[in-house]
Amino acid sequence: MSGLTASMPRLDAEVLIIGSGAGGATTAALLAEAGIDVLIVEEGPWVDQGSVTPFSLEQMDQQYRAGGVTVALGLPSIAYTEGRCAGGGTEVNSGLYFRPPVDVIERWSAQHRIRDLDPDALSVIAAEIEQALTVSTVPGRTTPASEILRDGAAALGWQHNEIPRWMAYPPGGDAVTGKRQSMTRTFLPRAFAAGARMIVDCRVDRLHMAGGTGRSAAVTFADGSTGVITFRDVIVCGGAIQSPALLQRSGIHGYIGRTLAVHPTVKLSARFRDEVNVPDDVPVHQVKEFAPDLSFGGSASHPGLVALALTDHWKAFSKSVVQWRQIAIYYAAITSEGRGWVRAIPGLRDPLVTYRLSHRDRQLLRSGLARLTLLMLEADAEEVYPSFRGAPIVRNRADIASMQQAFAVSKASVMTVHLCSSVPMGELPGRSGADSFGRVHGTSNVFVNDASLLPTAPGVNPQATVMAIAIRNARHFISSRSTTDTRSTTDTRNIKGHHER
Ligand SMILES: Cc1cc2nc3c(=O)[nH]c(=O)nc-3n(C[C@H](O)[C@H](O)[C@H](O)COP(=O)(O)OP(=O)(O)OC[C@H]3O[C@@H](n4cnc5c(N)ncnc54)[C@H](O)[C@@H]3O)c2cc1C
């Protein structure tokens, strides 16, 4: 890597891709392999997989936006997290894989008038993704914290599954020996092999527009120096919060940032007789008895996160923190009817994000926490610590009733890691931010190709759906444009943070 001085060259690319997560990396690989000159710009750093302990506070510091402290304001406010590094959310996430749900794709296609959105075609793409990311179940035993979900659900007769992950397991490996097949291990190396260039530690502040045509991007590097990148087309893949914010900062408004959709979760910590905590992994079982409205799963349970979860009623719960090895954290996630806004505020770096839960969402969160508590007791939890202010310790079924009485969503620690739908695609006039293939309405060469395009939250872990739609749209982009090789002559050795791969 080499730094740049104040006289930074004006960079140029046939296609500029902003963001290198699930949407950006797949788009970059496909376009580069089609002979298109691609430059990826990523705000966060390149962090090699394995150099930071997964699910640790150190990882949050290095690879999450704002160290993981970001919030959608509301009643209650919802804490959300975004990856901010090469590979985006794919570097830090749990790797739990769901094919794009056929019923959801059919509904999107019909209700949002999305042209040629075919569930069978997406299933074919999903099979490609499964191969590229070596999606598989754990070869040996799953972790004790995961088996608690399985056993509690089995005791109640509730439907449960082990969810496959994008992990590569060594021969004879088990749950904790898998290597996450994130974008820095898969689609980004593919993009580099096909000639794509990448700048890390570089944020795109805004696009310069002339009428409906994007001309260039104003960027700021981590050291505060600035630059300009010109392009023929730009594909914004900053994720469901940053993509609409960037479009708004660029003066593109339309139906942008008004329909953020998330999977809100409430959580609890449960203490067992034996050691169950695996600090650097998450459970692979999920309970789908009440899906798609409500699902249960396991969260990262690093000791720091256990301590944080117990602060919801520290006076009552704190004595248990020393027993963190016997404690694991679980969540109840809902498919929300509520919607949120993302608004870029002039003069501020970060957008204002708000989210409003519906009455039905609140009821589901309440019943979800009660049912998850029941499941923990069935799995022989000695004590359950629900995550809401002033919550009682639950030790038996009778305590669940008093817990439910004390519960109010406004007191709960609601959070989410699944953010979508802020630039929904489709042809519905006045109800979609981008067309059926991601071109932002009212523009000729500005595209979005990330989780923002999903018309609603899909009701399952979303990354595979984000990637499948990104690949579909990338192929449409390639086929509808000339693929003549007009590679830029920019000297990439001078690009700050450029990654030679
Ligand atoms: C903790 C966590 C756990 C998760 N677990 C799962 C799971 O198990 N299974 C699953 O399916 N999904 C999971 N997800 C969700 C999944 O990671 C996301 O759905 C997916 O990564 C979204 O892809 P994306 O391309 O929209 O955005 P991202 O992957 O978030 O990538 C966006 C990238 O763009 C960059 N960027 C943003 N703005 C700019 C800018 N202005 N200039 C330059 N760069 C910019 C960001 O730094 C980021 O790297 C999880 C997410 C998190 C955070």
Side-chain angles (χ1 to χ4, degrees), residues 18-24 41-44 64-65 81-90 92-98 166 202-205 237-240 242-243 246 249 417-419 449-452 461-464 466:
I18 301 170
S20 61
V41 171
E42 166 57 52
E43 182 175 352
Y64 282 60
R65 184 170 298 278
T81 55
E82 301 169 87
R84 193 192 68 102
C85 56
T90 75
V92 300
N93 71 23
S94 309
L96 298 166
Y97 174 89
F98 276 88
W166 41 86
C202 179
R203 168 183 151 107
V204 175
D205 297 318
C237 305
Q242 305 305 322
S243 287
L246 172 60
R249 289 199 299 271
V417 295
H418 297 163
L419 305 151
N449 212 16
D450 62 15
S452 317
N461 301 62
Q463 184 184 311
V466 174

Side-chain angles (χ1 to χ4, degrees), residues 48-66:
D48 282 324
Q49 280 279 345
S51 65
V52 180
T53 306
F55 308 109
S56 63
L57 299 182
E58 185 194 4
Q59 180 171 68
M60 292 179 79
D61 182 45
Q62 289 194 27
Q63 292 182 285
Y64 282 60
R65 184 170 298 278

Side-chain angles (χ1 to χ4, degrees), residues 474-495:
R475 290 198 171 128
H476 182 268
F477 180 93
I478 293 162
S479 66
S480 58
R481 273 171 161 67
S482 150
T483 53
T484 40
D485 191 342
T486 56
R487 284 177 192 279
S488 158
T489 51
T490 308
D491 181 357
T492 56
R493 286 168 308 172
N494 280 338
I495 298 178

Side-chain angles (χ1 to χ4, degrees), residues 237-477:
C237 305
I241 302 293
Q242 305 305 322
S243 287
L246 172 60
L247 295 177
Q248 291 171 2
R249 289 199 299 271
S250 309
I252 302 171
H253 291 287
Y255 204 68
I256 307 284
R258 303 177 187 196
T259 49
L260 176 70
V262 307
H263 294 146
T265 63
V266 277
K267 64 179 190 294
L268 56 73
S269 309
R271 182 171 62 73
F272 296 84
R273 199 186 54 234
D274 299 324
E275 293 194 358
V276 296
N277 191 302
V278 181
D280 56 357
D281 201 18
V282 292
V284 291
H285 287 91
Q286 286 186 357
V287 180
K288 290 289 183 185
E289 179 70 14
F290 311 103
D293 289 343
L294 182 60
S295 309
F296 306 135
S299 298
S301 297
H302 188 274
L305 297 174
V306 171
L308 198 63
L310 296 179
T311 59
D312 279 303
H313 194 177
W314 188 244
K315 209 168 156 192
F317 299 166
S318 59
K319 65 174 178 11
S320 303
V321 76
V322 290
Q323 293 168 290
W324 66 267
R325 286 191 175 79
Q326 292 159 248
I327 296 176
I329 305 174
Y330 297 90
Y331 65 81
I334 66 165
T335 303
S336 166
E337 283 178 350
R339 286 299 176 126
W341 281 77
V342 179
R343 293 181 179 90
I345 307 289
L348 294 188
R349 184 183 165 90
D350 295 314
L352 174 66
V353 182
T354 55
Y355 199 88
R356 191 188 173 99
L357 295 167
S358 72
H359 177 70
R360 171 252 184 211
D361 291 347
R362 291 162 178 275
Q363 294 303 113
L364 265 180
L365 288 169
R366 169 192 291 270
S367 73
L369 190 61
R371 290 176 200 194
L372 180 61
T373 307
L374 177 64
L375 187 150
M376 290 296 131
L377 294 179
E378 287 294 319
D380 291 334
E382 293 188 331
E383 290 191 337
V384 178
Y385 314 105
S387 278
F388 64 91
R389 274 197 315 286
I393 297 176
V394 177
R395 298 187 179 89
N396 53 48
R397 283 186 176 222
D399 291 344
I400 297 180
S402 29
M403 178 202 86
Q404 271 200 294
Q405 275 195 330
F407 180 81
V409 176
S410 56
K411 294 194 280 185
S413 294
V414 183
M415 74 155 310
T416 188
V417 295
H418 297 163
L419 305 151
C420 325
S421 316
S422 50
V423 189
M425 60 182 180
E427 306 295 337
L428 277 183
R431 294 289 307 281
S432 51
D435 73 9
S436 296
F437 295 95
R439 186 178 50 77
V440 175
H441 289 309
T443 74
S444 61
N445 66 342
V446 180
F447 297 78
V448 169
N449 212 16
D450 62 15
S452 317
L453 291 182
L454 275 47
T456 63
V460 296
N461 301 62
Q463 184 184 311
T465 306
V466 174
M467 292 178 71
I469 287 178
I471 289 173
R472 161 194 181 264
N473 293 352
R475 290 198 171 128
H476 182 268
F477 180 93

